[in-house]
Amino acid sequence: MSKVVLITGGSSGIGKAIGEFLFHKGFTVYGTSRNPEKVINSIFPMIALDVRSVESIKHAVEKVISISKRIDVVINNAGVGITGPIEETPTDEMRNNFETNFFGPIEVIKAVLPQMREQKSGLIINITSIAGYMGLPYRGIYSASKGALELVSEAISIEVKSFGINIVNIAPGEFATDIAAHRYHAPILENSAYKPAYENTLGMMNSHMHSGEDPNDFAKEVYNIIQHKNPNLHYKIGAFMQKFSIVLKRILPDRVYETMLMNHYKLSDKS
């Protein structure tokens, strides 16, 4: 019997790549989108789901269970980016980011746990980010939302282990997707003290996304994790230096690591 997989944010990017790879491997795949009617040529069914709405999540999960009678794997992939100096980023946009990147996945988890407990099995994969392991300049809120999901997943993992349910966090580095087009960007203000540094950092971020890793390679790694009987709690997938930056953060003094990040982003401590 093929495993039933629910992927939030399955209309493009990493979510679409994962869905297509698993579909071709024989999985029963359901993707989600806020507007599934606008998704063209999806090879797997798309269901309406807005991770900011508990009712929307509940209806989507109920629909999958009514059709397939079970949910074996949930992949919390839906998320949004946000950039800007903390001082100049509207607080409402910060809250929206956490609603999508943090509270949304938690609500999805809460919605599927009763079914997985009844099955006495299940796998929940949270797509976080290598950025969640460090406070990146002009991406602080994004780093915080993904880092928060990493930590809360550790607690959930302990709480549900006895029910036969595994929690996995997969932190990608930079992959070639259209995420930059969907980010909230705090505007670059002409009279801002942060203008030169923010403008330069934003340009670097956008250029890196176009030259990132292949999302299909990420999808293969997700497939391998699903196949594992006892998967790890944390995985990092991306270029070597992106993953190694996490190791450096553990071993370097805080200010040395901070200086390393500033040098990477060409930020002066005198700016």
Side-chain angles (χ1 to χ4, degrees), residues 193-207:
Y194 303 98
K195 182 180 183 296
Y198 177 37
E199 196 168 38
N200 178 65
T201 304
L202 196 57
M204 287 182 64
M205 284 189 282
N206 291 339
S207 66

PDB file of all heavy atoms in Angstrom, residues 193-207:
ATOM      1  N   ALA A 193      19.357  55.079   7.725  1.00  0.00           N
ATOM      2  CA  ALA A 193      20.752  54.828   8.122  1.00  0.00           C
ATOM      3  C   ALA A 193      21.227  53.470   7.618  1.00  0.00           C
ATOM      4  O   ALA A 193      22.435  53.230   7.526  1.00  0.00           O
ATOM      5  CB  ALA A 193      20.863  54.896   9.646  1.00  0.00           C
ATOM      6  N   TYR A 194      20.275  52.572   7.289  1.00  0.00           N
ATOM      7  CA  TYR A 194      20.625  51.225   6.863  1.00  0.00           C
ATOM      8  C   TYR A 194      20.684  51.082   5.338  1.00  0.00           C
ATOM      9  O   TYR A 194      20.998  50.002   4.843  1.00  0.00           O
ATOM     10  CB  TYR A 194      19.582  50.225   7.388  1.00  0.00           C
ATOM     11  CG  TYR A 194      19.399  50.236   8.884  1.00  0.00           C
ATOM     12  CD1 TYR A 194      18.343  50.946   9.462  1.00  0.00           C
ATOM     13  CD2 TYR A 194      20.274  49.548   9.715  1.00  0.00           C
ATOM     14  CE1 TYR A 194      18.159  50.964  10.832  1.00  0.00           C
ATOM     15  CE2 TYR A 194      20.102  49.563  11.089  1.00  0.00           C
ATOM     16  CZ  TYR A 194      19.041  50.272  11.645  1.00  0.00           C
ATOM     17  OH  TYR A 194      18.867  50.288  13.011  1.00  0.00           O
ATOM     18  N   LYS A 195      20.371  52.145   4.596  1.00  0.00           N
ATOM     19  CA  LYS A 195      20.179  52.026   3.151  1.00  0.00           C
ATOM     20  C   LYS A 195      21.330  51.328   2.422  1.00  0.00           C
ATOM     21  O   LYS A 195      21.099  50.332   1.715  1.00  0.00           O
ATOM     22  CB  LYS A 195      19.924  53.400   2.523  1.00  0.00           C
ATOM     23  CG  LYS A 195      19.667  53.327   1.003  1.00  0.00           C
ATOM     24  CD  LYS A 195      19.422  54.716   0.418  1.00  0.00           C
ATOM     25  CE  LYS A 195      19.094  54.619  -1.065  1.00  0.00           C
ATOM     26  NZ  LYS A 195      20.204  54.089  -1.889  1.00  0.00           N
ATOM     27  N   PRO A 196      22.585  51.790   2.532  1.00  0.00           N
ATOM     28  CA  PRO A 196      23.651  51.141   1.751  1.00  0.00           C
ATOM     29  C   PRO A 196      23.835  49.665   2.117  1.00  0.00           C
ATOM     30  O   PRO A 196      23.951  48.805   1.239  1.00  0.00           O
ATOM     31  CB  PRO A 196      24.900  51.962   2.095  1.00  0.00           C
ATOM     32  CG  PRO A 196      24.389  53.247   2.636  1.00  0.00           C
ATOM     33  CD  PRO A 196      23.101  52.922   3.314  1.00  0.00           C
ATOM     34  N   ALA A 197      23.830  49.363   3.422  1.00  0.00           N
ATOM     35  CA  ALA A 197      24.076  47.988   3.870  1.00  0.00           C
ATOM     36  C   ALA A 197      22.916  47.068   3.494  1.00  0.00           C
ATOM     37  O   ALA A 197      23.127  45.951   3.009  1.00  0.00           O
ATOM     38  CB  ALA A 197      24.296  47.962   5.381  1.00  0.00           C
ATOM     39  N   TYR A 198      21.690  47.536   3.707  1.00  0.00           N
ATOM     40  CA  TYR A 198      20.515  46.725   3.390  1.00  0.00           C
ATOM     41  C   TYR A 198      20.404  46.487   1.889  1.00  0.00           C
ATOM     42  O   TYR A 198      20.138  45.367   1.434  1.00  0.00           O
ATOM     43  CB  TYR A 198      19.260  47.409   3.932  1.00  0.00           C
ATOM     44  CG  TYR A 198      17.963  46.714   3.602  1.00  0.00           C
ATOM     45  CD1 TYR A 198      17.860  45.318   3.576  1.00  0.00           C
ATOM     46  CD2 TYR A 198      16.811  47.461   3.326  1.00  0.00           C
ATOM     47  CE1 TYR A 198      16.652  44.690   3.282  1.00  0.00           C
ATOM     48  CE2 TYR A 198      15.602  46.840   3.037  1.00  0.00           C
ATOM     49  CZ  TYR A 198      15.526  45.459   3.008  1.00  0.00           C
ATOM     50  OH  TYR A 198      14.347  44.841   2.715  1.00  0.00           O
ATOM     51  N   GLU A 199      20.628  47.525   1.117  1.00  0.00           N
ATOM     52  CA  GLU A 199      20.548  47.407  -0.345  1.00  0.00           C
ATOM     53  C   GLU A 199      21.559  46.393  -0.860  1.00  0.00           C
ATOM     54  O   GLU A 199      21.252  45.542  -1.714  1.00  0.00           O
ATOM     55  CB  GLU A 199      20.793  48.780  -0.973  1.00  0.00           C
ATOM     56  CG  GLU A 199      20.369  48.901  -2.410  1.00  0.00           C
ATOM     57  CD  GLU A 199      20.377  50.356  -2.859  1.00  0.00           C
ATOM     58  OE1 GLU A 199      21.293  51.110  -2.433  1.00  0.00           O
ATOM     59  OE2 GLU A 199      19.478  50.740  -3.613  1.00  0.00           O
ATOM     60  N   ASN A 200      22.775  46.454  -0.343  1.00  0.00           N
ATOM     61  CA  ASN A 200      23.825  45.526  -0.758  1.00  0.00           C
ATOM     62  C   ASN A 200      23.501  44.095  -0.343  1.00  0.00           C
ATOM     63  O   ASN A 200      23.643  43.153  -1.134  1.00  0.00           O
ATOM     64  CB  ASN A 200      25.160  45.955  -0.144  1.00  0.00           C
ATOM     65  CG  ASN A 200      26.288  45.004  -0.510  1.00  0.00           C
ATOM     66  OD1 ASN A 200      26.658  44.875  -1.666  1.00  0.00           O
ATOM     67  ND2 ASN A 200      26.833  44.328   0.495  1.00  0.00           N
ATOM     68  N   THR A 201      23.029  43.928   0.899  1.00  0.00           N
ATOM     69  CA  THR A 201      22.705  42.582   1.396  1.00  0.00           C
ATOM     70  C   THR A 201      21.538  41.982   0.630  1.00  0.00           C
ATOM     71  O   THR A 201      21.539  40.791   0.305  1.00  0.00           O
ATOM     72  CB  THR A 201      22.373  42.633   2.899  1.00  0.00           C
ATOM     73  OG1 THR A 201      23.476  43.225   3.597  1.00  0.00           O
ATOM     74  CG2 THR A 201      22.119  41.238   3.445  1.00  0.00           C
ATOM     75  N   LEU A 202      20.535  42.793   0.325  1.00  0.00           N
ATOM     76  CA  LEU A 202      19.379  42.324  -0.434  1.00  0.00           C
ATOM     77  C   LEU A 202      19.800  41.842  -1.816  1.00  0.00           C
ATOM     78  O   LEU A 202      19.337  40.801  -2.292  1.00  0.00           O
ATOM     79  CB  LEU A 202      18.354  43.457  -0.549  1.00  0.00           C
ATOM     80  CG  LEU A 202      16.934  43.092  -0.961  1.00  0.00           C
ATOM     81  CD1 LEU A 202      16.332  42.065  -0.013  1.00  0.00           C
ATOM     82  CD2 LEU A 202      16.066  44.342  -1.014  1.00  0.00           C
ATOM     83  N   GLY A 203      20.699  42.570  -2.442  1.00  0.00           N
ATOM     84  CA  GLY A 203      21.209  42.158  -3.749  1.00  0.00           C
ATOM     85  C   GLY A 203      21.942  40.834  -3.682  1.00  0.00           C
ATOM     86  O   GLY A 203      21.787  39.971  -4.561  1.00  0.00           O
ATOM     87  N   MET A 204      22.733  40.649  -2.625  1.00  0.00           N
ATOM     88  CA  MET A 204      23.448  39.377  -2.452  1.00  0.00           C
ATOM     89  C   MET A 204      22.484  38.221  -2.252  1.00  0.00           C
ATOM     90  O   MET A 204      22.632  37.145  -2.845  1.00  0.00           O
ATOM     91  CB  MET A 204      24.390  39.465  -1.250  1.00  0.00           C
ATOM     92  CG  MET A 204      25.612  40.316  -1.466  1.00  0.00           C
ATOM     93  SD  MET A 204      26.701  40.306   0.001  1.00  0.00           S
ATOM     94  CE  MET A 204      27.184  38.588   0.067  1.00  0.00           C
ATOM     95  N   MET A 205      21.465  38.421  -1.428  1.00  0.00           N
ATOM     96  CA  MET A 205      20.490  37.366  -1.151  1.00  0.00           C
ATOM     97  C   MET A 205      19.781  36.937  -2.427  1.00  0.00           C
ATOM     98  O   MET A 205      19.635  35.736  -2.706  1.00  0.00           O
ATOM     99  CB  MET A 205      19.475  37.838  -0.119  1.00  0.00           C
ATOM    100  CG  MET A 205      19.975  37.868   1.301  1.00  0.00           C
ATOM    101  SD  MET A 205      18.632  38.177   2.474  1.00  0.00           S
ATOM    102  CE  MET A 205      18.423  39.945   2.290  1.00  0.00           C
ATOM    103  N   ASN A 206      19.327  37.892  -3.209  1.00  0.00           N
ATOM    104  CA  ASN A 206      18.584  37.571  -4.423  1.00  0.00           C
ATOM    105  C   ASN A 206      19.451  36.865  -5.455  1.00  0.00           C
ATOM    106  O   ASN A 206      19.003  35.937  -6.126  1.00  0.00           O
ATOM    107  CB  ASN A 206      17.982  38.848  -5.019  1.00  0.00           C
ATOM    108  CG  ASN A 206      16.876  39.416  -4.150  1.00  0.00           C
ATOM    109  OD1 ASN A 206      16.286  38.709  -3.339  1.00  0.00           O
ATOM    110  ND2 ASN A 206      16.598  40.701  -4.309  1.00  0.00           N
ATOM    111  N   SER A 207      20.710  37.278  -5.570  1.00  0.00           N
ATOM    112  CA  SER A 207      21.601  36.635  -6.538  1.00  0.00           C
ATOM    113  C   SER A 207      21.919  35.206  -6.142  1.00  0.00           C
ATOM    114  O   SER A 207      22.043  34.322  -6.993  1.00  0.00           O
ATOM    115  CB  SER A 207      22.894  37.444  -6.687  1.00  0.00           C
ATOM    116  OG  SER A 207      23.643  37.422  -5.478  1.00  0.00           O
TER     117      SER A 207
END
